[in-house]
């Protein structure tokens, strides 16, 4: 295994300069740092963690805490994201330590991990409205990045998608097809993304001149059961006019909606149009649904590389204001959306 002295001899630099370059010291120029990193990779250099911590005060280890549901299950997307994030951090010479939280105090597990003095920073996930975690970590000077954002104008590093636009784009598509009675099966209200999506949905409906009937916004766990139960209640017509289109927070929810429509003898998209948000879940392919599902598309795993790089940059001194990214989800139109059924056209639309 190569040593700092080997890299020093290879490049004609001092050992001190090589060490500073590999440890992210700002006084080393970008060109020199790139030369040192390239040589380290080529020669197979691996840092001695103990020596590195003595030199920099860093451990090379970051943490992530996952909140389990009461039934001991985690979101099915989590494991896909976890493996991808671990790989992206490892590629940047950071190791990820995972902890599970089942308590009621959202900051307690962070406090417990910080007491062990092992971590350089954190990756936060699943933000909630008025999330106390950013303030807790910022007050202690602990670097972190968040997947998503807890409110509209955060002062911390984050990477996420525009959740208001997710619903706005879907409503725009459906309105262009003549739909007026559009319902939303949202995510769980405790999460910030669900609040943003409901706001985006309602604002888009207002912009289209459409009303949101009472009861046409619901929420729940991201499961097929949630979609089936809610769609069955709406589409049976027992509670009033049924929606001609349903937006779904996830593709599993959309699976439940499609099953409910089939059980009631309704065709998609002839009687009902369905749109879902697709996080590209393992084993679920919306293009293979029957009919193929129209989606807003933003794979969760695509956030892992930016989050890993943001955390590295933050650890190296980049201010949070320069580490904030909001992407817009794509819109993929497939066979589950079509014109509003005859007789259900918007009042000003010519049948």
């Amino acid at each position: 295994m190569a040593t700092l002295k080997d890299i020093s001899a290879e490049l004609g630099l001092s050992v001190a300069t090589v060490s500073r370059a590999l440890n992210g010291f700002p006084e080393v120029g970008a060109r020199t740092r790139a030369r040192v990193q390239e040589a380290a990779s080529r020669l197979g250099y691996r840092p001695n963690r103990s020596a590195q911590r003595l030199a920099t005060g860093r451990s090379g280890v970051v943490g992530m805490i996952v909140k389990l549901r009461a039934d001991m299950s985690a979101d099915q997307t989590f494991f896909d994201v976890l493996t991808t994030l671990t790989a992206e951090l490892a590629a940047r010479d950071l190791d990820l330590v995972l902890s599970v939280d089942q308590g009621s105090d959202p900051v307690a597990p962070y406090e417990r991990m910080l007491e062990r003095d092992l971590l350089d920073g954190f990756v936060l996930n699943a933000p909630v409205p008025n999330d106390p975690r950013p303030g807790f970590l910022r007050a202690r000077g602990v670097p972190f990045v968040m997947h998503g954002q807890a409110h509209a104008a955060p002062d911390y590093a984050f990477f996420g998608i525009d959740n208001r636009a997710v619903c706005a784009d879907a409503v725009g598509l459906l309105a262009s097809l003549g739909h007026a009675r559009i319902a939303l099966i949202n995510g769980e209200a405790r999460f910030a993304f669900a609040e943003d999506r409901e706001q985006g949905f309602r604002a888009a409906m207002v912009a289209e001149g459409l009303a949101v009937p009472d009861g046409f916004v619901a929420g729940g766990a991201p499961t097929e059961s949630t979609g089936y139960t809610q769609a069955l209640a709406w589409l049976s017509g027992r509670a009033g006019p049924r929606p001609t289109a349903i937006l779904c927070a996830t593709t599993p929810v959309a699976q439940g909606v499609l099953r409910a429509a089939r059980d009631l003898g309704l065709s998609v998209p002839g009687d009902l149009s369905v749109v879902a948000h697709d996080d590209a879940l393992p084993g679920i392919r919306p293009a293979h649904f029957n009919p193929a599902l129209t989606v807003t598309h933003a794979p969760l795993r695509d956030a892992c590389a930016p989050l890993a790089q943001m955390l590295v940059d933050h650890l190296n001194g980049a201010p949070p204001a320069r580490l904030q990214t909001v992407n817009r989800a794509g819109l993929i139109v497939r066979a589950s959306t079509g014109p509003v059924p005859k007789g259900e056209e918007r009042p000003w639309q010519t049948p």
Side-chain angles (χ1 to χ4, degrees), residues 44 60 79 88 94 155 164 180 186 190 207 209 224 267-268 271 282 350:
F79 298 102
E88 292 292 347
L94 288 175
D155 55 1
R164 289 177 175 82
N186 203 357
R190 62 193 177 102
E224 182 176 348
S267 70
V268 176
D271 300 309
T350 302

Side-chain angles (χ1 to χ4, degrees), residues 34 50 68 128-129 132 153 159 165 167 173 193 205 239 248 276 300-302:
S50 297
L68 288 184
V128 299
F159 180 92
C167 280
L173 169 67
F193 84 86
M205 293 290 282
C248 304
L300 280 171
R301 69 177 70 93
D302 287 359

Side-chain angles (χ1 to χ4, degrees), residues 251 255 258 262 278 283-295 334-335:
T251 46
Q255 287 178 312
L258 293 176
R262 286 194 297 270
D278 176 24
I284 298 181
R285 299 184 180 276
H288 296 169
F289 283 19
N290 183 22
L293 188 63
T294 294
V295 295
R334 299 192 180 105

Side-chain angles (χ1 to χ4, degrees), residues 8-153:
S8 170
E10 174 81 8
L11 299 177
L13 299 171
S14 70
V15 172
T17 297
V18 171
S19 177
R20 290 189 180 96
L22 291 173
N23 288 307
F25 282 81
E27 61 264 29
V28 179
R31 183 176 298 178
T32 299
R33 182 179 294 109
R35 287 181 62 215
V36 171
Q37 290 172 341
E38 186 279 328
S41 177
R42 175 164 42 83
L43 296 174
Y45 170 77
R46 301 297 298 171
N48 180 301
R49 287 295 190 200
S50 297
Q52 187 180 56
R53 184 162 192 177
L54 287 172
T56 67
R58 294 188 196 170
S59 64
V61 180
V62 297
M64 185 174 183
I65 295 170
V66 57
K67 183 83 171 179
L68 288 184
R69 301 180 189 278
D71 63 0
M72 296 292 290
S73 68
D75 190 302
Q76 70 182 98
T77 64
F78 175 75
F79 298 102
D80 184 42
V81 171
L82 177 62
T83 54
T84 308
L85 180 61
T86 299
E88 292 292 347
L89 288 167
R92 294 160 175 82
D93 206 29
L94 288 175
D95 293 320
L96 182 66
V97 172
L98 180 69
S99 181
V100 171
D101 174 33
Q102 292 181 273
S104 58
D105 184 347
V107 303
Y110 295 88
E111 189 168 28
R112 184 176 62 253
M113 293 186 79
L114 288 174
E115 286 174 353
R116 296 188 171 97
D117 194 27
L118 295 174
L119 302 178
D120 294 333
F122 286 93
V123 178
L124 308 187
N125 70 330
V128 299
N130 302 312
D131 200 314
R133 297 174 299 169
F136 172 82
L137 294 174
R138 193 168 49 241
R140 285 153 181 78
V142 179
F144 67 92
V145 295
M146 179 175 276
H147 185 194
Q149 55 197 103
H151 53 84

